[in-house]
Amino acid sequence: MHFISEQRLDDSVFERQFTLGEIPGILWTPASASTPAPLILLGHPPLGLRKMYPRLVARARQAVADGFAAATIELPGSGERPRWHAAEQARADMRRAMEAGERVSDDIIDALVLPLVDKAVPEWQAALDALLSLPEIGGPVGYSGGVISIGVRLARVEPRVVAAGLFAGSFVPRTMFEEARQVTIPLHVLLQWDDAGNDRQAALDLFDAFGSKEKSLHANMGGHTGVPPFAADAAAQFFARHLK
């Protein structure tokens, strides 16, 4: 891990941009802390860190205010990382199907999501190795956000992640339902009921498939970007219970 810039966002939040090999990332930590902070990994869609930054930094500020460190990394094929032509083709196929009013096929969903999960999860684990080596960060670790299939795989294979807040709102390959049955950590799942780009029934079926004894579904009216402000409060309470 190589830090390439740092700044204080205010008196309470310290932001550092880093690279991990070819992977860009951002780390937010409390500006002053006497003990290592628990860590929340901030997941996001593959739109690029630059585009997602306003939403990510808002979530990071909330995490730091609650006593956590927060970190994110650029997903494969996104932002300034090398183009990933297979993923771009799958996204184009998805857009064509949606614009034509057709159902997005399982083959398109698999081509779009499964390679991303296979590439992204080991990178998240490598980032976690580096982040937990820093003296200002300790366990436990939570994952918050999407792509939900990335969160499912990470929750299944990474024992250092002890709780996850997942955002329903992306296509889910059928094979991920079997992986979901093997997830046992506490889960907090956010669903926007009127999200036009989300298969609501698939989101409900995925929630039902999770093997966790503690899991809660928080469904709110509104579209993809209409998440009510109080939803963040419920997520913060969830992580406070499980990471402190």
Side-chain angles (χ1 to χ4, degrees), residues 41-44 54-64 144-146 167:
L41 303 176
L42 300 182
H44 54 90
R55 280 185 275 177
L56 287 166
V57 74
R59 292 164 59 195
R61 285 180 181 274
Q62 178 68 60
V64 171
S144 173
F167 296 178

Side-chain angles (χ1 to χ4, degrees), residues 38-54:
L39 175 65
I40 297 179
L41 303 176
L42 300 182
H44 54 90
L47 301 176
L49 286 182
R50 186 173 298 178
K51 183 173 183 178
M52 291 300 302
Y53 178 81

